[in-house]
Amino acid sequence: MARFVVAAVLVFAVPSWVRAHPAHAEEVNYPLVTGFNRFHAEEDAPEYLAKGGELLLNELNCTGCHEPPEPLRARFSGVAGPRLSGVGSRFGDESVLQILLRNPRMLKRSTSMPSLFAGPDRDEEELAALYAYLVSLRQPPGEPLLLGNIDRGRELYHSIGCIACHAPDTEYFPPALPKDATVEAPAMASQPVRIALFWTTDYLTRFLLDPVKYHPSGRMPAHGLTEIEAADLAAYLQSSPMREEPDPALLQESADPALAARGRELFASKGCANCHDTGDGPMPLRKARPLLELRPENRGCLQDEPLAGAVPYYYLSPLQRTAITLALQGLALAETSVTLDEWLTRMDCYGCHSLEGRGGPELAREPYFGAISPYALDREEFLPPALEGVFERRTDAELREVFTGNAERRYPKAGARMIRLPDKLIEEFLRMR
Ligand code: HEC
Ligand code: HEC
Ligand code: HEC
Ligand code: HEC
């Protein structure tokens, strides 16, 4: 534990080439929901800010505990956290799991996982039991994977579209740019890559090959990578001096079965199971006040300091609290379906595509798609296509091929790769035709 805290402080004292690495990019100080940051601001009219609040209610999985009424269920289906089956073999450093349990923000400041143990009545025995339970969730190692190459990973990371959502290495120079150009840093917050620094390389490679298998929300999309590409990306993302190689002895450590069984009960009663699947059988979910009965004035999870009783603490920003409060006040009248614009915002398709002038890559990120200058006549050919009229120019069958990676490329100059979606999300998209 102490070792990790020291390491975290050191991040700010390391040479600039280390800070340039995307794993050390600056983070916002509240849970980052890209679509909220991009499309909402203090100046919003209250009705519009309330829409931002609805986005947060879904993306922060508030509705995983505060159940929506039947008519609102499709609109607030929520966002599951990572699958935790095998999580005991995922980190080779005890302190990382300990921190994730106590206060995940110490690892990733802008995480959307709330802390259930930030309150004044934090119970060390409960934490020890939960830790034992997580350690007990082991998986036998799979077939060994290829080892990647850092330089090839760095090129891939900056050219296939990761930069639409994640931070560039500030010392990377996009090859499309003229030699005398200056590279501008993106102004919009990026999704940090932090926790992956502490995963085993094997797990990170598997995650990149099929992120939705491990993070079922699909907010981190698949890119149709080959095994060697995933290995290269993993090698690059973990090439930070902050990373410590996992301790093989710890990966062998076994948990006290009685303590782990107590931890499993707590995993359900504290509400971890409302967000995480652990793959070891059904668990009762934590019950909280239904969505339509929430009184924002009672604060609860909207509180600006942690409460006792394992009430989740999200470290929301004041603007996020205002937006959620407005959303809760108007929920009885909320739409029941999700519009195309809302869906593209939730999935952050807007990181790459625009629709009716909304979204598309931020100007400072365009060079990573191959665009040379905002004034070049062919600039748009380098960007993923705008989605206006897509339902007219493409049949459902064609769109399925696009989303499963089986379609021929129609925009060969576009520097990024189209992502892959699982069937469930493809069908959600097609329903908006
Ligand atoms: C892990 C489960 C869980 C999640 C996730 C969760 N809450 Fe809560 N929330 C609770 C519990 C438990 C309480 C305490 C009162 C109760 O039992 O409803 C509570 C209380 C509240 C209250 C006060 C309720 C009242 O009227 O007394 C509000 C408002 C609230 N939560 C909003 C939210 C919002 C907004 C989010 C998402 C950012 C969220 N909650 C996510 C479990 C959860
Ligand atoms: C459309 C936006 C988007 C694109 C494109 C994208 N990601 Fe992500 N990524 C996310 C989001 C959102 C998260 C956090 C939620 C989650 O993990 O499910 C994430 C999480 C991650 C994580 C784990 C986060 C952590 O704390 O360590 C890694 C590693 C990662 N992405 C790598 C990549 C790589 C490599 C690429 C390119 C092949 C890529 N991502 C492309 C949106 C994106
Ligand atoms: C409101 C939903 C929510 C609740 C409640 C919640 N988590 Fe999480 N958890 C997440 C999200 C989202 C992430 C991904 C964090 C990120 O990448 O920033 C996560 C990440 C994790 C991870 C890291 C997984 C990995 O592969 O890196 C562990 C371990 C974990 N949670 C354990 C727990 C435990 C134990 C509890 C209960 C004490 C809990 N979580 C409660 C949403 C939740
Ligand atoms: C990392 C960037 C990236 C992200 C994120 C992304 N796309 Fe794409 N998308 C592309 C590229 C590049 C193409 C063009 C592929 C080609 O050459 O045909 C494309 C093509 C498409 C097409 C076919 C358009 C046409 O006119 O043929 C559709 C539809 C589409 N994307 C929808 C989506 C949706 C919906 C999402 C979010 C779930 C999404 N995309 C996320 C990069 C991206």
Side-chain angles (χ1 to χ4, degrees):
M1 178 86 182
R3 184 167 49 125
F4 184 81
V5 174
V6 171
V9 171
L10 273 178
V11 175
F12 303 100
V14 290
S16 64
W17 65 270
V18 175
R19 263 181 285 142
H21 188 280
H24 304 302
E26 234 183 282
E27 287 184 83
V28 297
N29 197 17
Y30 48 82
L32 175 62
V33 174
T34 306
F36 183 81
N37 275 36
R38 183 158 195 188
F39 300 119
H40 293 279
E42 240 162 276
E43 299 75 27
D44 286 357
E47 315 80 72
Y48 181 68
L49 192 52
K51 292 279 172 222
E54 291 183 22
L55 172 69
L56 294 173
L57 284 171
N58 192 67
E59 297 305 300
L60 300 177
N61 207 24
C62 310
T63 50
C65 290
H66 301 293
E67 210 187 329
E70 184 56 39
L72 289 183
R73 231 168 257 172
R75 186 168 169 77
F76 293 101
S77 50
V79 163
R83 292 212 164 97
L84 298 184
S85 30
V87 73
S89 333
R90 205 170 285 171
F91 299 96
D93 182 339
E94 175 189 357
S95 61
V96 174
L97 271 182
Q98 295 280 13
I99 291 171
L100 278 168
L101 273 175
R102 282 154 208 269
N103 189 345
R105 260 178 47 105
M106 282 180 65
L107 217 57
K108 183 169 175 179
R109 219 155 30 127
S110 58
T111 184
S112 49
M113 164 149 155
S115 175
L116 295 176
F117 288 96
D121 59 345
R122 164 157 112 184
D123 182 331
E124 289 297 328
E125 276 163 45
E126 290 183 343
L127 282 162
L130 273 166
Y131 176 73
Y133 175 55
L134 293 180
V135 168
S136 77
L137 294 169
R138 295 218 179 263
Q139 246 164 20
E143 288 290 305
L145 298 174
L146 300 167
L147 281 185
N149 172 287
I150 297 176
D151 294 328
R152 281 199 312 255
R154 188 169 188 246
E155 285 307 315
L156 264 178
Y157 178 81
H158 291 93
S159 61
I160 62 172
C162 310
I163 293 307
C165 305
H166 296 286
D169 180 329
T170 53
E171 298 201 340
Y172 179 87
F173 193 81
L177 283 186
K179 288 285 159 281
D180 56 350
T182 41
V183 185
E184 287 199 32
M188 259 168 35
S190 301
Q191 285 291 335
V193 172
R194 282 287 155 109
I195 303 182
L197 208 54
F198 304 99
W199 288 339
T200 63
T201 308
D202 181 86
Y203 175 72
L204 175 54
T205 309
R206 288 178 205 277
F207 168 80
L208 292 172
L209 281 170
D210 191 0
V212 185
K213 177 171 171 193
Y214 303 98
H215 288 202
S217 70
R219 274 22 176 200
M220 162 65 198
H223 284 72
L225 302 171
T226 62
E227 188 184 317
I228 187 67
E229 286 174 333
D232 289 343
L233 283 165
Y236 168 60
L237 291 176
Q238 292 186 331
S239 66
S240 150
M242 301 304 303
R243 175 174 167 81
E244 288 187 31
E245 280 312 311
D247 176 354
L250 258 172
L251 290 171
Q252 303 303 324
E253 188 194 46
S254 57
D256 168 358
L259 200 56
R262 166 84 184 116
R264 191 174 189 277
E265 282 168 22
L266 287 163
F267 194 88
S269 64
K270 297 284 168 189
C272 314
N274 295 54
C275 293
H276 293 287
D277 174 22
T278 53
D280 66 343
M283 282 190 202
L285 299 186
R286 184 171 183 182
K287 291 257 180 301
R289 215 172 254 260
L291 186 65
L292 285 195
E293 289 169 30
L294 284 181
R295 299 285 160 265
E297 61 279 14
N298 293 353
R299 310 302 283 167
C301 310
L302 291 172
Q303 190 75 4
D304 51 16
E305 59 185 49
L307 296 179
V311 174
Y313 186 50
Y314 277 93
Y315 297 83
L316 298 167
S317 72
L319 182 64
Q320 289 178 323
R321 282 197 203 102
T322 308
I324 292 176
T325 301
L326 289 167
L328 289 175
Q329 287 163 348
L331 263 191
L333 302 171
E335 309 279 337
T336 52
S337 56
V338 182
T339 64
L340 178 60
D341 168 54
E342 286 170 334
W343 197 80
L344 298 175
T345 306
R346 290 177 178 194
M347 299 300 300
D348 203 16
C349 310
Y350 280 139
C352 284
H353 294 282
S354 63
L355 175 71
E356 288 158 14
R358 215 166 138 85
E362 179 186 3
L363 208 56
R365 294 181 206 246
E366 284 188 5
Y368 305 96
F369 290 79
I372 297 168
S373 118
Y375 309 108
L377 288 177
D378 61 352
R379 163 185 154 254
E380 286 189 3
E381 290 178 34
F382 293 100
L383 306 181
L387 292 182
E388 277 92 334
V390 70
F391 287 125
E392 284 81 58
R393 60 176 185 269
R394 295 280 212 170
T395 64
D396 277 7
E398 282 174 344
L399 286 171
R400 282 199 187 91
E401 305 244 285
V402 167
F403 287 119
T404 47
N406 293 314
E408 287 223 9
R409 291 208 68 167
R410 286 206 187 169
Y411 307 89
K413 273 197 182 178
R417 277 190 208 171
M418 171 55 184
I419 57 162
R420 311 289 161 88
L421 288 182
D423 291 346
K424 180 176 160 274
L425 291 172
I426 298 178
E427 297 314 316
E428 271 184 33
F429 178 74
L430 295 180
R431 249 177 267 140
M432 281 175 280
R433 175 181 284 280

Short mmCIF file of all heavy atoms in Angstrom, two decimals, residues 56-57 60-66 114 116 270-272 274-275 286-290 293-302 307 309-312 314 316 324 328, ligand 1:
data_model
loop_
_atom_site.label_atom_id
_atom_site.label_comp_id
_atom_site.label_asym_id
_atom_site.label_seq_id
_atom_site.Cartn_x
_atom_site.Cartn_y
_atom_site.Cartn_z
N LEU A 56 -26.03 11.00 -17.30
CA LEU A 56 -25.22 10.58 -16.16
C LEU A 56 -25.92 9.48 -15.36
O LEU A 56 -25.27 8.52 -14.92
CB LEU A 56 -24.94 11.78 -15.24
CG LEU A 56 -24.06 12.89 -15.84
CD1 LEU A 56 -24.00 14.09 -14.91
CD2 LEU A 56 -22.64 12.38 -16.12
N LEU A 57 -27.23 9.60 -15.17
CA LEU A 57 -27.96 8.56 -14.41
C LEU A 57 -27.75 7.20 -15.05
O LEU A 57 -27.64 6.18 -14.37
CB LEU A 57 -29.46 8.87 -14.38
CG LEU A 57 -29.91 9.98 -13.42
CD1 LEU A 57 -31.38 10.32 -13.65
CD2 LEU A 57 -29.69 9.58 -11.97
N LEU A 60 -23.48 6.35 -15.15
CA LEU A 60 -22.86 6.07 -13.84
C LEU A 60 -23.60 4.92 -13.15
O LEU A 60 -23.35 4.61 -11.99
CB LEU A 60 -22.85 7.33 -12.97
CG LEU A 60 -22.07 8.50 -13.57
CD1 LEU A 60 -22.16 9.74 -12.69
CD2 LEU A 60 -20.60 8.12 -13.79
N ASN A 61 -24.49 4.30 -13.88
CA ASN A 61 -25.24 3.14 -13.40
C ASN A 61 -25.99 3.39 -12.10
O ASN A 61 -26.14 2.50 -11.27
CB ASN A 61 -24.34 1.91 -13.26
CG ASN A 61 -25.12 0.62 -13.42
OD1 ASN A 61 -26.20 0.62 -14.05
ND2 ASN A 61 -24.64 -0.46 -12.84
N CYS A 62 -26.47 4.61 -11.91
CA CYS A 62 -27.33 4.91 -10.76
C CYS A 62 -28.53 3.96 -10.79
O CYS A 62 -29.02 3.51 -9.75
CB CYS A 62 -27.84 6.34 -10.82
SG CYS A 62 -26.56 7.57 -11.11
N THR A 63 -29.00 3.65 -12.01
CA THR A 63 -30.21 2.84 -12.15
C THR A 63 -29.93 1.36 -11.88
O THR A 63 -30.86 0.56 -11.87
CB THR A 63 -30.81 3.02 -13.55
OG1 THR A 63 -29.78 2.83 -14.52
CG2 THR A 63 -31.38 4.42 -13.71
N GLY A 64 -28.66 1.00 -11.68
CA GLY A 64 -28.35 -0.36 -11.25
C GLY A 64 -28.82 -0.61 -9.83
O GLY A 64 -29.03 -1.76 -9.42
N CYS A 65 -28.98 0.45 -9.02
CA CYS A 65 -29.48 0.31 -7.65
C CYS A 65 -30.85 0.98 -7.48
O CYS A 65 -31.69 0.48 -6.76
CB CYS A 65 -28.51 0.95 -6.66
SG CYS A 65 -26.97 0.04 -6.48
N HIS A 66 -31.03 2.13 -8.12
CA HIS A 66 -32.30 2.86 -8.03
C HIS A 66 -33.13 2.47 -9.24
O HIS A 66 -33.01 3.06 -10.32
CB HIS A 66 -32.05 4.37 -7.99
CG HIS A 66 -31.19 4.79 -6.83
ND1 HIS A 66 -31.61 4.71 -5.53
CD2 HIS A 66 -29.93 5.27 -6.78
CE1 HIS A 66 -30.65 5.13 -4.72
NE2 HIS A 66 -29.61 5.48 -5.45
N PRO A 114 -17.86 4.25 -8.01
CA PRO A 114 -17.93 5.03 -6.77
C PRO A 114 -17.19 4.29 -5.65
O PRO A 114 -16.93 3.10 -5.75
CB PRO A 114 -19.44 5.03 -6.47
CG PRO A 114 -19.95 3.76 -7.07
CD PRO A 114 -19.10 3.50 -8.28
N LEU A 116 -17.40 2.77 -1.97
CA LEU A 116 -18.39 2.39 -0.95
C LEU A 116 -17.75 2.40 0.44
O LEU A 116 -18.38 2.09 1.43
CB LEU A 116 -18.95 1.00 -1.25
CG LEU A 116 -19.76 0.89 -2.55
CD1 LEU A 116 -20.18 -0.54 -2.82
CD2 LEU A 116 -20.98 1.78 -2.49
N LYS A 270 -23.31 -4.93 -0.05
CA LYS A 270 -22.84 -3.54 -0.24
C LYS A 270 -23.27 -2.97 -1.59
O LYS A 270 -23.17 -1.78 -1.83
CB LYS A 270 -21.31 -3.48 -0.19
CG LYS A 270 -20.71 -3.90 1.13
CD LYS A 270 -20.86 -2.81 2.16
CE LYS A 270 -20.53 -3.37 3.53
NZ LYS A 270 -20.85 -2.47 4.61
N GLY A 271 -23.66 -3.85 -2.52
CA GLY A 271 -24.09 -3.35 -3.83
C GLY A 271 -23.05 -3.47 -4.93
O GLY A 271 -23.26 -2.98 -6.04
N CYS A 272 -21.91 -4.14 -4.63
CA CYS A 272 -20.92 -4.36 -5.71
C CYS A 272 -21.58 -5.17 -6.83
O CYS A 272 -21.34 -4.91 -8.02
CB CYS A 272 -19.71 -5.14 -5.21
SG CYS A 272 -19.01 -4.59 -3.65
N ASN A 274 -24.49 -5.11 -7.89
CA ASN A 274 -25.40 -4.34 -8.75
C ASN A 274 -24.67 -3.84 -9.99
O ASN A 274 -25.30 -3.47 -10.97
CB ASN A 274 -25.99 -3.15 -7.99
CG ASN A 274 -26.88 -3.58 -6.85
OD1 ASN A 274 -26.46 -4.36 -5.99
ND2 ASN A 274 -28.11 -3.09 -6.81
N CYS A 275 -23.35 -3.78 -9.93
CA CYS A 275 -22.58 -3.31 -11.09
C CYS A 275 -21.69 -4.39 -11.70
O CYS A 275 -21.33 -4.30 -12.86
CB CYS A 275 -21.69 -2.13 -10.71
SG CYS A 275 -22.60 -0.64 -10.28
N ARG A 286 -28.43 -5.32 -4.07
CA ARG A 286 -28.73 -4.38 -3.00
C ARG A 286 -29.97 -3.57 -3.39
O ARG A 286 -30.08 -3.10 -4.52
CB ARG A 286 -27.56 -3.42 -2.80
CG ARG A 286 -27.78 -2.47 -1.64
CD ARG A 286 -26.52 -1.69 -1.33
NE ARG A 286 -26.74 -0.84 -0.16
CZ ARG A 286 -25.83 -0.02 0.33
NH1 ARG A 286 -24.65 0.08 -0.24
NH2 ARG A 286 -26.09 0.71 1.39
N LYS A 287 -30.86 -3.40 -2.44
CA LYS A 287 -32.08 -2.64 -2.73
C LYS A 287 -31.87 -1.19 -2.26
O LYS A 287 -31.37 -0.95 -1.18
CB LYS A 287 -33.26 -3.20 -1.93
CG LYS A 287 -33.72 -4.57 -2.39
CD LYS A 287 -35.00 -4.45 -3.23
CE LYS A 287 -35.50 -5.79 -3.72
NZ LYS A 287 -34.52 -6.51 -4.56
N ALA A 288 -32.27 -0.28 -3.10
CA ALA A 288 -32.24 1.13 -2.70
C ALA A 288 -33.54 1.75 -3.20
O ALA A 288 -34.31 1.11 -3.92
CB ALA A 288 -31.03 1.83 -3.28
N ARG A 289 -33.77 2.98 -2.83
CA ARG A 289 -35.01 3.67 -3.20
C ARG A 289 -35.20 3.68 -4.73
O ARG A 289 -34.25 3.99 -5.46
CB ARG A 289 -34.86 5.11 -2.73
CG ARG A 289 -36.10 5.76 -2.26
CD ARG A 289 -35.68 7.08 -1.66
NE ARG A 289 -35.77 7.00 -0.22
CZ ARG A 289 -36.80 7.51 0.45
NH1 ARG A 289 -37.77 8.14 -0.17
NH2 ARG A 289 -36.85 7.40 1.75
N PRO A 290 -36.39 3.36 -5.23
CA PRO A 290 -36.61 3.35 -6.68
C PRO A 290 -36.36 4.74 -7.29
O PRO A 290 -36.53 5.77 -6.63
CB PRO A 290 -38.09 2.97 -6.82
CG PRO A 290 -38.48 2.37 -5.53
CD PRO A 290 -37.59 2.96 -4.48
N GLU A 293 -38.67 7.70 -6.91
CA GLU A 293 -38.91 8.18 -5.54
C GLU A 293 -37.70 8.88 -4.95
O GLU A 293 -37.71 9.28 -3.78
CB GLU A 293 -39.29 7.00 -4.64
CG GLU A 293 -40.68 6.48 -4.95
CD GLU A 293 -40.96 5.14 -4.26
OE1 GLU A 293 -40.39 4.90 -3.18
OE2 GLU A 293 -41.71 4.35 -4.83
N LEU A 294 -36.64 9.02 -5.73
CA LEU A 294 -35.43 9.68 -5.19
C LEU A 294 -35.72 11.16 -4.97
O LEU A 294 -36.26 11.84 -5.84
CB LEU A 294 -34.27 9.55 -6.17
CG LEU A 294 -33.58 8.20 -6.24
CD1 LEU A 294 -32.43 8.28 -7.24
CD2 LEU A 294 -33.07 7.79 -4.88
N ARG A 295 -35.34 11.64 -3.80
CA ARG A 295 -35.49 13.06 -3.49
C ARG A 295 -34.09 13.67 -3.49
O ARG A 295 -33.33 13.44 -2.54
CB ARG A 295 -36.13 13.25 -2.11
CG ARG A 295 -37.52 12.68 -1.95
CD ARG A 295 -38.59 13.52 -2.65
NE ARG A 295 -39.79 12.72 -2.88
CZ ARG A 295 -40.04 12.07 -4.02
NH1 ARG A 295 -39.22 12.14 -5.03
NH2 ARG A 295 -41.15 11.35 -4.15
N PRO A 296 -33.75 14.44 -4.52
CA PRO A 296 -32.39 14.99 -4.58
C PRO A 296 -32.04 15.79 -3.32
O PRO A 296 -30.88 15.83 -2.92
CB PRO A 296 -32.40 15.87 -5.82
CG PRO A 296 -33.73 15.72 -6.47
CD PRO A 296 -34.57 14.79 -5.68
N GLU A 297 -33.06 16.42 -2.69
CA GLU A 297 -32.75 17.22 -1.49
C GLU A 297 -32.27 16.34 -0.34
O GLU A 297 -31.63 16.81 0.59
CB GLU A 297 -33.93 18.12 -1.09
CG GLU A 297 -35.22 17.42 -0.72
CD GLU A 297 -36.08 16.98 -1.94
OE1 GLU A 297 -35.56 16.98 -3.09
OE2 GLU A 297 -37.25 16.62 -1.72
N ASN A 298 -32.55 15.04 -0.38
CA ASN A 298 -32.01 14.13 0.65
C ASN A 298 -30.55 13.80 0.39
O ASN A 298 -29.93 13.08 1.19
CB ASN A 298 -32.82 12.83 0.70
CG ASN A 298 -34.22 13.06 1.20
OD1 ASN A 298 -34.56 14.16 1.64
ND2 ASN A 298 -35.05 12.04 1.13
N ARG A 299 -30.03 14.25 -0.76
CA ARG A 299 -28.61 14.12 -1.13
C ARG A 299 -28.18 12.67 -1.36
O ARG A 299 -27.92 12.31 -2.47
CB ARG A 299 -27.68 14.80 -0.09
CG ARG A 299 -28.08 16.23 0.25
CD ARG A 299 -28.13 17.13 -0.94
NE ARG A 299 -26.81 17.57 -1.38
CZ ARG A 299 -26.59 18.17 -2.53
NH1 ARG A 299 -27.61 18.40 -3.35
NH2 ARG A 299 -25.39 18.53 -2.88
N GLY A 300 -28.07 11.83 -0.33
CA GLY A 300 -27.63 10.45 -0.55
C GLY A 300 -26.35 10.41 -1.38
O GLY A 300 -25.34 10.99 -1.00
N CYS A 301 -26.43 9.77 -2.54
CA CYS A 301 -25.25 9.65 -3.41
C CYS A 301 -24.87 10.98 -4.05
O CYS A 301 -23.84 11.08 -4.71
CB CYS A 301 -25.50 8.61 -4.48
SG CYS A 301 -26.11 7.06 -3.82
N LEU A 302 -25.70 12.01 -3.90
CA LEU A 302 -25.36 13.32 -4.46
C LEU A 302 -24.60 14.18 -3.46
O LEU A 302 -24.24 15.32 -3.75
CB LEU A 302 -26.63 14.07 -4.87
CG LEU A 302 -27.39 13.52 -6.08
CD1 LEU A 302 -28.72 14.23 -6.24
CD2 LEU A 302 -26.55 13.68 -7.33
N LEU A 307 -20.79 9.56 3.00
CA LEU A 307 -21.71 9.28 4.09
C LEU A 307 -21.39 7.92 4.71
O LEU A 307 -20.79 7.07 4.06
CB LEU A 307 -23.15 9.23 3.58
CG LEU A 307 -23.73 10.52 3.01
CD1 LEU A 307 -25.15 10.27 2.54
CD2 LEU A 307 -23.69 11.62 4.06
N GLY A 309 -22.48 4.12 6.15
CA GLY A 309 -23.43 3.11 5.70
C GLY A 309 -23.20 2.65 4.28
O GLY A 309 -24.12 2.17 3.62
N ALA A 310 -21.99 2.80 3.78
CA ALA A 310 -21.64 2.34 2.43
C ALA A 310 -22.57 2.90 1.37
O ALA A 310 -22.92 2.24 0.40
CB ALA A 310 -21.59 0.82 2.36
N VAL A 311 -23.02 4.14 1.54
CA VAL A 311 -23.73 4.83 0.46
C VAL A 311 -22.66 5.22 -0.56
O VAL A 311 -21.63 5.79 -0.19
CB VAL A 311 -24.46 6.09 1.00
CG1 VAL A 311 -25.08 6.89 -0.15
CG2 VAL A 311 -25.52 5.69 2.00
N PRO A 312 -22.88 4.87 -1.84
CA PRO A 312 -21.82 5.14 -2.83
C PRO A 312 -21.43 6.62 -2.87
O PRO A 312 -22.29 7.49 -2.79
CB PRO A 312 -22.47 4.73 -4.16
CG PRO A 312 -23.63 3.89 -3.80
CD PRO A 312 -24.07 4.28 -2.44
N TYR A 314 -19.45 9.27 -5.31
CA TYR A 314 -18.98 9.36 -6.70
C TYR A 314 -18.03 10.53 -6.95
O TYR A 314 -17.51 10.67 -8.02
CB TYR A 314 -20.18 9.56 -7.64
CG TYR A 314 -20.92 8.30 -8.04
CD1 TYR A 314 -22.02 7.85 -7.34
CD2 TYR A 314 -20.52 7.58 -9.16
CE1 TYR A 314 -22.72 6.72 -7.74
CE2 TYR A 314 -21.20 6.44 -9.57
CZ TYR A 314 -22.30 6.02 -8.85
OH TYR A 314 -22.97 4.90 -9.26
N LEU A 316 -18.86 13.59 -7.56
CA LEU A 316 -19.45 14.32 -8.69
C LEU A 316 -19.00 15.78 -8.67
O LEU A 316 -18.75 16.34 -7.60
CB LEU A 316 -20.98 14.27 -8.58
CG LEU A 316 -21.61 12.87 -8.66
CD1 LEU A 316 -23.07 12.93 -8.22
CD2 LEU A 316 -21.49 12.29 -10.04
N ILE A 324 -27.97 16.22 -12.53
CA ILE A 324 -28.71 15.04 -12.04
C ILE A 324 -29.95 15.49 -11.26
O ILE A 324 -31.03 14.91 -11.39
CB ILE A 324 -27.79 14.15 -11.16
CG1 ILE A 324 -26.71 13.51 -12.03
CG2 ILE A 324 -28.60 13.07 -10.45
CD1 ILE A 324 -25.68 12.70 -11.27
N LEU A 328 -33.68 14.36 -12.13
CA LEU A 328 -34.56 13.63 -11.19
C LEU A 328 -35.88 14.38 -11.01
O LEU A 328 -36.94 13.75 -10.90
CB LEU A 328 -33.87 13.46 -9.83
CG LEU A 328 -32.70 12.45 -9.79
CD1 LEU A 328 -32.02 12.47 -8.42
CD2 LEU A 328 -33.17 11.04 -10.13
C1 HEC B 1 -24.59 0.48 -5.23
C2 HEC B 1 -25.94 0.99 -5.19
C3 HEC B 1 -26.19 2.46 -5.52
C4 HEC B 1 -25.81 3.14 -6.65
C5 HEC B 1 -25.03 2.62 -7.83
C6 HEC B 1 -26.33 4.48 -6.49
N1 HEC B 1 -26.99 4.59 -5.32
FE1 HEC B 1 -27.96 6.27 -4.65
N2 HEC B 1 -28.35 5.35 -2.88
C7 HEC B 1 -28.02 4.04 -2.57
C8 HEC B 1 -28.38 3.78 -1.18
C9 HEC B 1 -28.16 2.46 -0.46
C10 HEC B 1 -28.94 4.98 -0.66
C11 HEC B 1 -29.46 5.24 0.76
C12 HEC B 1 -30.95 5.38 0.75
C13 HEC B 1 -31.65 4.20 0.12
O1 HEC B 1 -31.59 3.09 0.64
O2 HEC B 1 -32.24 4.42 -0.95
C14 HEC B 1 -28.92 5.93 -1.78
C15 HEC B 1 -29.44 7.22 -1.71
C16 HEC B 1 -29.55 8.11 -2.77
C17 HEC B 1 -30.28 9.37 -2.75
C18 HEC B 1 -31.10 9.93 -1.60
C19 HEC B 1 -32.41 9.21 -1.68
C20 HEC B 1 -33.52 9.71 -0.81
O3 HEC B 1 -34.50 10.17 -1.41
O4 HEC B 1 -33.42 9.61 0.39
C21 HEC B 1 -30.12 9.94 -3.98
C22 HEC B 1 -30.70 11.27 -4.46
C23 HEC B 1 -29.29 9.04 -4.75
N3 HEC B 1 -28.97 7.92 -3.99
C24 HEC B 1 -28.89 9.27 -6.06
C25 HEC B 1 -28.04 8.43 -6.76
C26 HEC B 1 -27.43 8.81 -8.01
C27 HEC B 1 -27.65 10.12 -8.74
C28 HEC B 1 -26.60 7.77 -8.37
C29 HEC B 1 -25.68 7.70 -9.55
C30 HEC B 1 -24.74 8.80 -9.71
C31 HEC B 1 -26.75 6.74 -7.37
N4 HEC B 1 -27.61 7.19 -6.40
C32 HEC B 1 -26.13 5.50 -7.42
C33 HEC B 1 -27.46 3.11 -3.43
C34 HEC B 1 -26.93 3.39 -4.68
#
